[in-house]
Amino acid sequence: MSDVTSISTFTNLRRSLLARTHAALGARYVAALPPHLTDSDTPIIADYGDPELETTAATLAGLCDVSMFPRWGCKGRGTPDWLKSQSWRLPDKVNHAEEQKDGNIVARLSNDECLLMGDLHFQSARIAELEVLYQQQLPERVYALPRADSHACFVLCGEFSANVMSKICAVDLRSHTFSNGHVAQTSVARVNAITVRQDINDTLAFYILSDLSSSEYLWECLLDALLEFNGCPVGIDALHALGNNT
Amino acid sequence: MSNERLSAPYGALIDRTKAVSFTHEDKTFKGFKGDTVASALAANGEFLLSRSFKYHRPRGALSMAGQDANTLMQINKDGNALADRVPISEGMSVQGQNYIGSLKGDVGRAFGLFSKFLPVGFYYKAFFKPVGMWERWAPLFRKITGLGDIDQQHEPAYFDKQFRFYDVVVVGAGPAGLSAALKAAETGAEVLLIDENPALGGSLLYSRLYDTKPDEHEDHAAELLAQLLEKVTLSHTISVMSDAVCNAWYSDNWLAVIQAQRLFKVRAKEVIMCVGSMEQLAIFRNNDLPGVMMSSAALRMLKLYAIAPGKRAVVLTGNTEGYACALELADAGVEVACLVDMRSEATNEAMAKAVTNRGIKTVFKQTVFEARAGSNKNHLGHVSLREIVAQGRCADIDDSVIDCDLLCMAVGYMPTYQLICQAGGTLAYNDESDQFSLSNLPESFQIAGSVNGHWAIDDVIADGKFAAQTAMARWVEGLTTDCAPPRENEYSTSDTTNYTWPIFPHPKGKEFVDLDEDLQIADIVNATLDGFEHVQLVKRYSTCGMGPSQGRHSALPTARLVARSVGKTVSETGVTTARPPFAPERLAHNAGRSFYPARRSAMHYRHIEAGAQMLQAGDWYRPAYYGLPAERELSINAEVTNVRTNVGVVDVSTLGGLEVRGADAAEFLNRFYTFGFVKQPIGRARYALLCNEAGVVIDDGVACRLSEQHYYVTATTGGVGRVFQQMLKWNAQWCLDVDIANVTTAWCGVNIAGPNARKVLEKLAPDIALDQESFPYMGVREGMVAGIPARLLRVGFVGELGYEIHAPQHAGEALWDALLDAGNSVNIKPFGIEAQRILRLEKGHIIIGQDTDAMSNPMEVQMTWALGRKKPFFIGARTINELEKTPLERVLVGFCVNDASAPIPLESHLVLDGEHMIGRVTSCNFSPTLKKAIGLAYVPPNLASPGATVWIKSSGGVQVQAEVVSLPFYDPELLRQEV
C-alpha cells in the first residue's frame, strides 16, 4: 500500500476536475511520487479510506480515476515510424493496444494515430521524456496531441466490468468477444469515448477515455452503473493489489 | 374467504406453503405465493374483476394470459394493471375500474341501455353542434370513461436499460422454444431464451397432449416439460429470462425486452420466434359475461393455479381443443354439462370416444346463441343453444337452455404474429382451411411451433429444432443437419383449425367483437356501411383493435365481418398493422436512466463558489452572471461596468480550439475561411469567418499563427464540432498536407479584459512583454502565466484591452485563482456570459447563430471586410460573388431606443412597417455604458442608414421607436482595445 497523504488538491497547478468529488468520497493521496509526476504537481489517489473494501470491489466492479496519470498522443503519417524509432512497440492493427515492458500502454487509434498511457505504477518517465523529445525534434508529419488534458481516463475493473459497460455502451464488450488489447472508439453514456481493454493481471479491466470536460458526468454514470454489482470507487492501491502477482 | 384449491399436481405456479393476504374492494382475501391477482380472486370465488370501458359491463378473466383488457385493475397505485399477470403480494390493494358506486352494483351499467343511441363513430357525429357544445360534453365523457386512476403523488422509481448480445435469441419458452434453444446450444451458440411467464414451458404447463394419448390421465406434458427443462438447466450456453416480454423487433435483430424495471436492448445474430398462438373468441350475445372464457384460460386456472373455474361447465368448440378441455375439466371434478360442437361431426375419433366414455354429452351443429347471467347478475348462469342452419345463422328458437357457471370457448387460434410482422413478415389467411400462415421472414429470423402452423407436439418440437438448425447453419461451417422439417399435413389440422364462422348475431345485439371498446357485430358492419370499407379505416372509425389488447381477439372476427360486408374474402381483407409495443409498457421503461451529457470547465466550481448562476449552453455549463437571481440586472450591469472601467475575467474554456498543422496549413485556412491567411505573420491572430458553399455565414473565430506550419484556430462554442467536421471533409477533398485536431477540451481559456488587464497580467507573466508595441492588438504569444504554459491572444471581443489566455485544462482552476489573486489589489471581478453579451453588443460584434440565421450572408451582416477579394478561392466565394450582383433584401444594423421609458425589445421581436413585418431583432439589451437600450436587427436596405427610424413590436404589443445607428455603439475609434 502507498504512503498516503491528505494534501490539498486545490493548490496544485494541475488539479483534477474531479477533485471535489474525490474529496467528498474521502480520497487519500499517494504521498511519495517519482520526480516526473511531482514536477508536474500531480495528485494521485491512493484510496478512499477503506483499502480492504476497495481491494474487494476492484475484483467485482471498481472504478479508478487515473486522469492525472501521464498520457500523450501523436498522429500524422510520420507517427508510426517515429514512435518505433523511440523503441515503442506499436500494435500491428488499428483499434488494438499493446502494453510495453515498462507498463506503459500504446493504443493504435488509426494507422497514423497513437495514444500513450502511463503505467499504473507511475514509475516510468518515458512518456514525459517522449514529450520533451518531440518538442526538441519536431519530427516531420508527427503532430502532438495533448491527451493528458483533452481526456479523462478511468479504469473500470473487475469481473462485472463488462456488465457495467453494457448499461451505458452499445458495443459488446464481453470478455470473450472483446479480447484483451482491443480498442473501441464509441459512445459511452452518450459521450464519445475510447475504450481500451487492458486486463490487470487476470482481472478484466477497461480504460475509458472521454472528453475531460465530461469527466464528472461520466464518473457519475459509471458509478451509477456499477452499484448493482457491489462496486465502488477505488484508489490506485486497489488496482495495484490486483497486479500484485506481477 | 375460502381460497379453495384443487390438490396437487394442479397448481404448478403456486406455493401452498406461503399464504399471501391482500385486499380487493376493501375486503381481505388470501392467496398463495405465485398467484396472480385474478387467480387469487378466482380461488376466492371472485370472478368479477372490473367494468368495461363504454357500457360498464361486468368483466372477468378471459385469457388468463394477460392478452385481454378484461383484467385491467387498479393495483396499489398502478392503474390498468393486468390482474392475470400481476402476482399478488402481501398487503396489496386491488380495486376494479370503471364503476360508479360499487363494482358489483355499478350504476354506470345503465349506459348499456342507451347503446342503440351510441352507434359506431357516434363521437364523430354528435356533440359538436351547436358550436361550443363539445366543450360542455367533454368533461362528462372524461369523467365516465377512461381507465384507471393516475397516482398524482407518484414517486419516481429507478428504471434503466442494458444492452445484451447473443448468438441466438429464442422468444417463447414453450416446447418449440425450448427445443430450438437446446438445438442451437448444441453448436456452442450463446442462446437467450425469453418468456413472458414466470415459468418456462408454455402450453406444456397446462395443455393436454391429446393427439398421442387422449384417454390417459397421466400427465405426459409435464413429463416432457421436465425433460426439456432439465436439459436447459444443464446447458452452459443458454441464458433464461422469464417474466420478460419481448416488446418489439427492430432492424438487425434489435429486440426490446422488458423485465422488471429494466429495458434490455438485445442484439441477436439469429432470432427464433416461438411465440405460440392466441386463442380466439366466439361471438354471441353476452359473450363477455364473467364465467365465459377461453378454453386455454380454464386450463390455466386448473393447471397453473389449482382453481376449478366453475362448478358446471359447457364447452363450445369448433375443433378438438374443446374435447381436450372437457376432459381436463371432468378430470378436475368440474361437471361438464354439454360439449357443444359447432361442426357436424367430430374429426378426432379417439377424443370423441374419450369424451363419451367420460359421460359427457356432446351435441353437434349447434352453438351457444346467448349467455345469460344467473341470480348473480355479474356472472354466467345459463346458456341457450341453437342449431346452426347456415354460416353465422341460427334457428329461430332455442334448442335448449343449460344452467352453467362456466362456458369455455375453443373455436380456434390466431398466431401471435405481432413481433413477426414488425420484422417484415407477412400474415396470410387461407380461406379454404381457415388457417393462418406467416411468410416473407427476414434473414436471420425463424419461426417455429404453433405460430408456424404446427400443433402436434412431435411436430412442434421438430419445428423448433429445425429452426435452430437453419439459423445456426449460417454461422457454423459444416454443421451437421440432422433435423428434418416437421411432417407436412401428417397430423390432422382439423384438431386445431379455426372454426370457419363462430359469429352469431343476435337481434338484441351485445355480441361483442372487441371487448376493450365494447364493440358489437353491428358496430363493425355499420362502419363498413358508413363507407369505411378498408379494415384499417374500420379500425380508426370504430376504434376496434385500438384498446389495450390491440386487437388480439378482435382482429380475426373484424376481418371476417368486414370481408362479408364488403364482399371480399378474409384473406383479401387482412388485419391491421401490429406496431410496437407488443404488450403495455411503462413510459418509465423508455424514459428510465436516460443520459444527458454535461460539460464543465476546470473553473466550474470556482464559478459556483463565487455565486454564479449557471446556464447550460449545449452540453456546457457556463456562468451567466454572479449574484442572486433577484439582483440579476444589477449584477450584470456591475460586471459590465467593471470591465469597462477596471478589469474582469471571464471563463471562455468552451470556445472551440483546433490545431491546424502541416506544410499546407496556411493554404488550407486560406481556402477554408473567407480571409487571407497565406501571408499572415507568425505571432499574429486574424479574424476567421466561415461560410458554407451557399455563402451563408456559419461560424467565426480567430486563427493564430504559432509557427510557419502551425495555426491554432478558435471556433464558437456550439459550432466547433461542425467546423472540425467541415475541416476534415475539405481536407480529404483537397488532399493537402495538413493535419487537423480538435483540442477544444485540452485548452481552457480565460479572457482578462479591461483597462487594468495588463497591470494584472504583468504580475503573472514576467517573461512576456505585454506592452502595446511588443504585443499589439491581434498579437499571439506563447509563454508562462503563473507558472502555467499558456497561449495568449490579444483579441477584443468585449472591446477593451484584453488577453485571452489559453492553458492546459487541468491547470484551469490554478490559472483562474492566480488571475483573481493577482487582480485582488485592483478589485478584479469575474463576469459571466450575460455581461459578455452586452459588452460585445456595445462593440457591435455579432454572435453567429444568434445574429445570423440559415440565410445570412456576409453582405447582410455587413462583414464584406472579412472577405479575401484577392485570393482565388474560399468556400462559398462563388455564391457570394453571385449574391453581390443582386440587391440586398435585408441588412443587419445597429439600433438604439432613445425613449428610456419604452420596454426593451427582445430577441425575435418584429420590426414593423405598419402592419407588415419587415425585419426582426436579433440582439437587444440595456447598455450600462451607454445608458440606453441597444440592439441589432435585420431591416430592409432602405432603412439601414444611420438616422433611419424603425418600429419594433415589443412585449405586450407595445410599438417601440428605434433609431438606426452606425456600429459599433461604443469606442468606434478602437481607442480602448488598442492601447
Side-chain angles (χ1 to χ4, degrees), chain B residues 521-600:
Chain B
I521 291 174
D523 291 322
I524 305 302
V525 174
N526 287 339
T528 64
L529 298 178
D530 278 356
F532 299 95
E533 296 191 347
H534 194 285
V535 71
Q536 298 282 12
L537 297 176
V538 170
K539 172 181 175 176
R540 282 148 185 82
Y541 184 61
S542 67
T543 69
C544 182
M546 291 169 70
S549 69
Q550 289 287 288
R552 283 176 174 79
H553 304 118
S554 63
L556 176 57
T558 300
R560 283 169 165 157
L561 289 166
V562 171
R564 171 176 279 190
S565 179
V566 303
K568 290 182 178 176
T569 63
V570 174
S571 59
E572 288 168 335
T573 303
V575 297
T576 53
T577 308
R579 299 183 179 85
F582 169 67
E585 63 188 21
R586 293 171 185 273
L587 293 175
H589 279 119
N590 291 296
R593 196 57 183 106
S594 294
F595 296 104
Y596 300 100
R599 302 177 74 181
R600 297 173 176 89

Side-chain angles (χ1 to χ4, degrees), chain B residues 369 385-387 394-400:
Chain B
F369 186 62
L385 305 186
R386 287 195 184 185
E387 183 188 1
C394 295
D396 292 336
I397 55 169
D398 291 346
D399 181 83
S400 57

Side-chain angles (χ1 to χ4, degrees), chain A residues 13-15 20 75 77 141 144 148-149 166 169-170 174 176 190 211 213 216-217 224 228, chain B residues 158 162-163 165 190 262 593 595-596 599-600 605-606 609 661 737 739-740 745 810-811 813 817:
Chain A
L13 282 185
R14 292 180 63 78
R15 302 173 194 173
R20 288 163 182 80
K75 63 191 280 216
R77 276 178 281 167
R141 294 196 177 87
D149 285 291
S166 72
C169 178
R174 290 173 300 157
H176 59 288
R190 285 191 61 216
D211 183 288
S213 62
E216 186 176 328
Y217 160 77
D224 175 68
E228 87 174 84
Chain B
Y158 188 94
Q162 186 172 23
F163 291 91
F165 308 89
E190 287 181 283
R262 181 167 287 173
R593 196 57 183 106
F595 296 104
Y596 300 100
R599 302 177 74 181
R600 297 173 176 89
Y605 287 100
R606 288 295 188 241
E609 288 155 11
R661 292 172 287 192
D737 189 0
D739 184 83
I740 300 151
T745 306
H810 272 123
E813 190 176 280
D817 288 352

Side-chain angles (χ1 to χ4, degrees), chain A residues 75, chain B residues 658-660 668 724 727-728 731 738-742:
Chain A
K75 63 191 280 216
Chain B
L658 300 153
E659 306 274 24
V660 180
F668 177 82
F724 179 53
M727 282 186 169
L728 294 179
N731 191 34
V738 173
D739 184 83
I740 300 151
N742 185 347

